[in-house]
Amino acid sequence: MCAMTLQLTSRQSNILAFIRERLEQSGEVPTLEEIGQAMGIPSVSAVLKHVRSLEAKGRLVIEPNRTRGIRLVQETDPLAADTLELPLIGRVAAGEPIFSESRVERSLRVSRWLFRLKPDYLVRVVGDSMRDEGILDGDLVAVHATPIARHGQVVAARVAGDRFTIKRLYWKGDVIRLLPNSPGYQPIDPDPTEDFAIEGLFAGLVRGS
């Protein structure tokens, strides 16, 4: 059996555009006769055939026994299922939650397939201390928000209240260190008397945004 294509013909696209235009201008959909006049189709039955094809392709619904019985269907963005809209978080003040509405610089829509974990927000990398992990200065790192992390995972951490950093977590017994992966950088040893928190796990990155 041959599957019906959901792609519209040129004539169907023109009819759908006309219906939308009339709905926006006058608040009501056109009749089949009005569609025929606008499209240069003299036969109402031919217009109905096109409209039924649009209904079969999910673009509208025909409501029987009504002169203006066409109802447009809210279209779904075909890319929506494959994308996520993520907030880009700016600088964080001491004591302030990392994910705060006041910190959101803007939102970006990105492919969900870029990430190994479900991301909750993006932060911009400053510096190249994780260069050998493939995380470069200016990259947008996606963070899966969680306070739980294991030894060896790349984490997003808050150090000394307002310092936000991406590092590999070393956690053996009572020893916690944040390890860079680039020559010339030293590990960070969180001061137990200062504010330190695991804010999330590295979920992936976006480059060039």
Side-chain angles (χ1 to χ4, degrees):
M1 180 181 293
C2 180
M4 177 183 290
T5 177
L6 296 181
Q7 185 175 354
L8 303 186
T9 65
S10 175
R11 176 57 62 89
Q12 290 166 0
S13 295
N14 290 338
I15 290 174
L16 189 61
F18 174 69
I19 294 172
R20 284 201 190 106
E21 183 179 356
R22 278 292 299 271
L23 187 60
E24 291 173 0
Q25 289 179 350
S26 66
E28 62 181 13
V29 295
T31 63
L32 294 179
E33 290 81 1
E34 290 168 342
I35 294 173
Q37 291 171 4
M39 297 292 108
I41 306 173
S43 169
V44 173
S45 61
V47 174
L48 180 59
K49 182 178 178 180
H50 287 300
V51 172
R52 288 200 184 283
S53 293
L54 287 168
E55 182 180 39
K57 294 179 181 181
R59 302 305 181 94
L60 52 79
V61 174
I62 300 174
E63 298 178 340
N65 303 319
R66 295 184 57 185
T67 303
R68 301 183 187 274
I70 296 173
R71 178 168 55 84
L72 293 181
V73 173
Q74 184 68 35
E75 292 184 31
T76 300
D77 182 351
L79 297 178
D82 291 326
T83 59
L84 297 168
E85 187 167 346
L86 298 175
L88 174 61
I89 305 301
R91 183 173 175 80
V92 181
E96 184 177 28
I98 180 67
F99 186 47
S100 167
E101 290 299 326
S102 64
R103 299 293 97 203
V104 176
E105 291 184 356
R106 59 191 173 107
S107 294
L108 289 92
R109 185 166 287 280
V110 294
S111 171
R112 68 172 63 247
W113 308 116
L114 292 173
F115 311 111
R116 61 189 74 179
L117 297 172
K118 182 182 182 299
D120 293 291
Y121 56 87
L122 300 166
V123 290
R124 190 179 300 279
V125 174
V126 178
D128 59 357
S129 66
M130 294 294 280
R131 184 182 62 206
D132 292 348
E133 295 276 357
I135 302 173
L136 308 180
D137 182 47
D139 284 348
L140 301 183
V141 163
V143 178
H144 171 70
T146 175
I148 301 170
R150 300 190 307 272
H151 172 76
Q153 290 183 302
V154 176
V155 301
R158 184 205 294 271
V159 183
D162 62 352
R163 243 176 103 198
F164 191 80
T165 187
I166 307 293
K167 296 290 185 290
R168 189 168 291 280
L169 177 66
Y170 177 96
W171 191 351
K172 292 287 189 179
D174 294 333
V175 179
I176 296 178
R177 307 188 85 189
L178 299 173
L179 307 179
N181 194 352
S182 186
Y185 290 87
Q186 299 300 314
I188 296 173
D189 297 308
D191 187 332
T193 66
E194 295 180 332
D195 183 18
F196 167 74
I198 300 295
E199 296 286 357
L201 300 176
F202 173 78
L205 60 81
V206 179
R207 183 161 294 155
S209 293

